[in-house]
Amino acid sequence: MPKVSLQINLSPGDYPHAVHILPHQLKTLSGQVDEVILTIDTKPSRGRFADGWEKYKQHLNRFLATLAQQNAKVKILPVDYTAEAKAKVANYFFGTSDMPDKDYRGGPFYAYFFGLLSAGNNLVFHLDADIFLGGGSNTWIAEAVALLQEDATCFTTSPLPGPPHPDDLLIGQSVLKKTAPYTYQFAGMSTRLFLLDRSVFETEKLKTARPALRNQLKAIVQGNANANLPELIISDYMRASNFHRVDFLGTNPGLWSLHPPYRTNGFYEKLPQLIHQIENNQLPDTQQGFYDVVDEVIDWAEAREALQTKRWWKRILHAKPNQ
């Protein structure tokens, strides 16, 4: 099998969950890859993406240093924002001499592409730092690589979103078509997790794009770049080239992913227990076929109430006075 790199994006604000989730990710995947690249963002974002940056920066560095001592495959790489490094990354993926640091929300942009190019192999399996993995398959990477090599129209592939539903269903997903048991095609990609062959970008370049007008205005007001999300830029490229993404479970026990939609005190308190439930396949039936952690697993009422309050205040602040 060709060599594969596992590449995981981290920033200081990820520390409270990464200290639990990263060992879980490495336990599941490091035995299936040839190297593990942990890229640490070094340029603070704005807004919610900056939460905890200074508070947790040193905690994250010490934690990752310990992981690297325990696993010879692990390499820690700070994201290099120098003009020389950016020019190299921008040229490889976009055929340009520069590229945005962040997207229009203040979220990571350059860091995603820096991470992909930093890998020592063209086959790269990327994970965000908050992704859970269930099933425990030790052959999924090899199966995914074979799928990429066999299907020229498959641009990226990912584990099944959510634990497998007994009726082979995906809930809340826009599927192009089902091609085999627990195997689905999608039109676009997600930067949360994906496996791809990076070498395609040596000849086929991406195009930077601006977001919708409303989000452009938001970017200007908040002082962010007018850059659309990386996953939307790559998804547009895929559609233009008639590529697709394949999410699949694989050979029993397979591999599936799960994502936490919010960060709450209750989430952090139950995080070790949640990882135990995922690794031992002890989640409730309501979680089957769904990619986000459901309320029966973690009570998200706190987060929803906070979000509703925030929206209420925004409506009040932007309400027009009666004429």
Side-chain angles (χ1 to χ4, degrees), residues 20 27 55 57 66 71 75 77 102 140 144 193-194 196 220 222 230 238 252 265 275-276 311:
H20 298 286
K27 174 183 175 182
K55 179 179 180 180
K57 184 163 62 175
T66 300
N71 189 329
K75 302 174 185 177
L77 191 62
K102 308 290 181 178
W140 189 91
L193 73 167
F194 57 85
L196 57 69
I220 293 171
Q222 297 180 349
M238 289 170 60
N252 189 54
N265 293 331
I275 292 172
H276 177 81
R311 288 171 176 168

Side-chain angles (χ1 to χ4, degrees), residues 5-11 14 17-18 21-30 32-33 36-39 108 111-112 115-116 124-134 140-141 157-159 189-196 255-259:
S5 299
L6 173 62
Q7 186 268 317
I8 302 175
N9 276 11
L10 296 127
S11 70
D14 291 324
H17 58 261
I21 299 178
L22 187 53
H24 156 74
Q25 293 173 330
L26 296 182
K27 174 183 175 182
T28 306
L29 295 171
S30 64
Q32 301 183 54
V33 299
V36 179
I37 305 295
L38 305 180
T39 50
Y112 275 110
L116 286 176
V124 184
F125 186 28
H126 162 85
L127 283 177
D128 279 352
D130 60 353
I131 297 297
F132 301 98
L133 298 165
W140 189 91
I141 295 282
T157 183
S158 305
M189 65 94 71
S190 168
T191 48
R192 289 178 180 172
L193 73 167
F194 57 85
L195 188 149
L196 57 69
L255 194 70
W256 46 267
S257 67
L258 207 56
H259 175 259

Side-chain angles (χ1 to χ4, degrees), residues 225-298:
N226 241 327
N228 211 353
L229 306 183
E231 65 183 44
L232 297 182
I233 290 173
I234 299 175
S235 293
D236 287 344
Y237 163 80
M238 289 170 60
R239 282 186 281 267
S241 304
N242 293 317
F243 287 134
H244 58 261
R245 157 183 136 222
V246 175
D247 289 5
F248 74 102
L249 180 63
T251 304
N252 189 54
L255 194 70
W256 46 267
S257 67
L258 207 56
H259 175 259
Y262 308 104
R263 308 285 184 273
T264 63
N265 293 331
F267 167 69
Y268 290 117
E269 289 171 2
K270 292 186 177 180
L271 192 45
Q273 176 186 339
L274 174 57
I275 292 172
H276 177 81
Q277 288 177 277
I278 290 169
E279 291 184 345
N280 291 278
N281 197 28
Q282 294 175 348
L283 295 172
D285 292 348
T286 51
Q287 186 66 73
Q288 295 170 347
F290 192 59
Y291 57 92
D292 271 352
V293 178
V294 297
D295 291 48
E296 288 83 355
V297 177
I298 301 289

